[in-house]
Amino acid sequence: MDIRKVVVAGGGVLGSQIAYQCAYKGFDVTVWLRSEASIGRAKPKFDRLLGIYLETLEAMKTNPAAYCRGLAAKDATDEQIDELKARAQQAHDDIVYTTSYEEAAADADLVIESISENPQDKIVFYTEMAKHLPDKAIIVTNSSTMLPSAFAEYTGRPERYLALHFANEIWRNNTAEIMGHTGTDPNVYDIVVDFAERIGMIPLKLHKEQPGYILNSLLVPFLSAAEGLLATDVADVETIDKTWMLATGAPLGPFRILDVVGLTTAYNIGLLDPRSKDPNTVQGKVAALLKSYIDEGKTGINAGEGFYKYGK
Amino acid sequence: MDIRKVVVAGGGVLGSQIAYQCAYKGFDVTVWLRSEASIGRAKPKFDRLLGIYLETLEAMKTNPAAYCRGLAAKDATDEQIDELKARAQQAHDDIVYTTSYEEAAADADLVIESISENPQDKIVFYTEMAKHLPDKAIIVTNSSTMLPSAFAEYTGRPERYLALHFANEIWRNNTAEIMGHTGTDPNVYDIVVDFAERIGMIPLKLHKEQPGYILNSLLVPFLSAAEGLLATDVADVETIDKTWMLATGAPLGPFRILDVVGLTTAYNIGLLDPRSKDPNTVQGKVAALLKSYIDEGKTGINAGEGFYKYGK
């Protein structure tokens, strides 16, 4: 199956990155949004992405540290990079925006759902889209927290539905976790793996459904353990990070990773554990500790301060 | 307090490394062992360590990758390294071996207990040693799995007793986790921190007792999560490791770390969880998976194969 037209539903942080990367890699991209106001809010994100791609590509000519795996081959020449800069501009200009299910669905090969993490919103979207999509179309979800089996029945094509989960800053962190539900057709799964590679991603294949995919299944218990050591005053932030880095050779310890993830996200994940409601448990102490940081505005690297301070 | 005479109890893998490193760093070292046969088994370990230190120091003259933090300053000159080689030889020759509590205890400043992880053996050792030790002497335990509070009462000096926990290949992995019990005198704690630095270790300070110290408190849940993903067939070894390395920039994924730790150790840690007895739980599937590797002799990097194969 040849994928040409890609519909990205949602113009948020990830939706805009996914849509722009697909266009940059040569696909016909239509961004579907709920309203004209959503289009108005999304377009500046695409302008910003164009700027990031152009600057990064230019920097890659002289600075090896600027290299981003999702943008070019490691050994790209200056001429090739100039071609890619032209392509980045063209991609920006070629993206089609619509609020019409019918226009988005017309002759679509792949729909990438990246709308809000609200089950009811997703069900409405899938149900409406299914009325217009051609039979050939594959639908993938970028949901971080929900499983494809929860929505397969609403897509009108459960065997052509699975998860394709991106990381933030897709042009640099170019991994894509690919996860079907029990009804996903293995051939469709393989088509999505191939598509992920064609848009410059490194596909990470899951054999079955797993909440949190692979990465969060590893990160959450690791970060929770570190938070627990701090919240129960076993050791301080710097000592815990140093221990991990010295013992494993890792460039970042758990609290530096938490600053990147964001303390609000960590706090919300912690609240999913019912023990976090009891202030006498480790989980309750962790929740209280994270809340004290968040209340002071120390939500992580994007705020300039989390467990560490960052230069502006 | 000036520490001069250090008694290391135990001549196993870690005991011999600790004793030799202390002698290398200029302390008077007496190795206490239970029997003449134990002395016979320990001495070849010290011969081997001398060889490793001499070879590593020589290699450090020309190969930056050979550098070991526990052996020398990063910018040591060839002349300084030659002096250190002479010191390594002297350290080897100066170590005193004894089976006598009385001889070991005489004028001892610090006792480092690194005997078998058997509570009864430790109690006998502490009780006998307490009869002969001068009041000034500090006792530390290198135990990985037991807490100082469990033994403080047998030492005759609970306020001068705490844990000083080393990593294997101490000359390279030069971290020392330092952990008191509630009765440990803070001044004694500080003396041990200072001593750790003087024998070339990076002290990692715990404020209170924590089973598994810092490192294993992070490693165990992280590695267990990875084992669970594999044992429930969510993804394969290479994909899980790749996911972690790409997302965090770490040089090793969890299964490469497990090969270093050793699958038998991971298996034994897993068995501490009662759920591992039920083959239908994730923990039970992990235990069965690890046992299948161990039964095939794939116990990790030391065996030449674990989750990965290693060249001999």
Side-chain angles (χ1 to χ4, degrees), chain B residues 156-167:
Chain B
R157 65 201 69 233
E159 73 289 354
R160 301 179 80 72
Y161 176 63
L162 63 158
L164 176 64
H165 180 241
F166 294 88

Side-chain angles (χ1 to χ4, degrees), chain B residues 256-279:
Chain B
R256 279 293 307 277
I257 294 176
L258 277 164
D259 277 353
V260 175
V261 168
L263 276 67
T264 307
T265 299
Y267 177 69
N268 288 330
I269 290 172
L271 291 187
L272 299 176
D273 185 330
R275 292 172 294 185
S276 66
K277 307 290 183 273
D278 177 350

Side-chain angles (χ1 to χ4, degrees), chain A residues 187-247:
Chain A
N187 294 324
V188 171
Y189 186 100
D190 290 343
I191 290 168
V192 172
V193 170
D194 178 61
F195 172 75
E197 287 177 339
R198 287 168 65 195
I199 59 170
M201 300 295 112
I202 299 172
L204 299 168
K205 293 157 76 168
L206 284 81
H207 303 148
K208 59 168 69 159
E209 282 198 333
Q210 166 71 24
Y213 300 85
I214 298 170
L215 180 57
N216 284 337
S217 297
L218 298 173
L219 264 182
V220 171
F222 168 66
L223 298 176
S224 298
E227 293 161 7
L229 291 174
L230 182 66
T232 58
D233 193 33
V234 170
D236 60 34
V237 163
E238 291 77 10
T239 299
I240 297 168
D241 273 4
K242 192 162 65 170
T243 301
W244 183 254
M245 293 189 286
L246 286 168

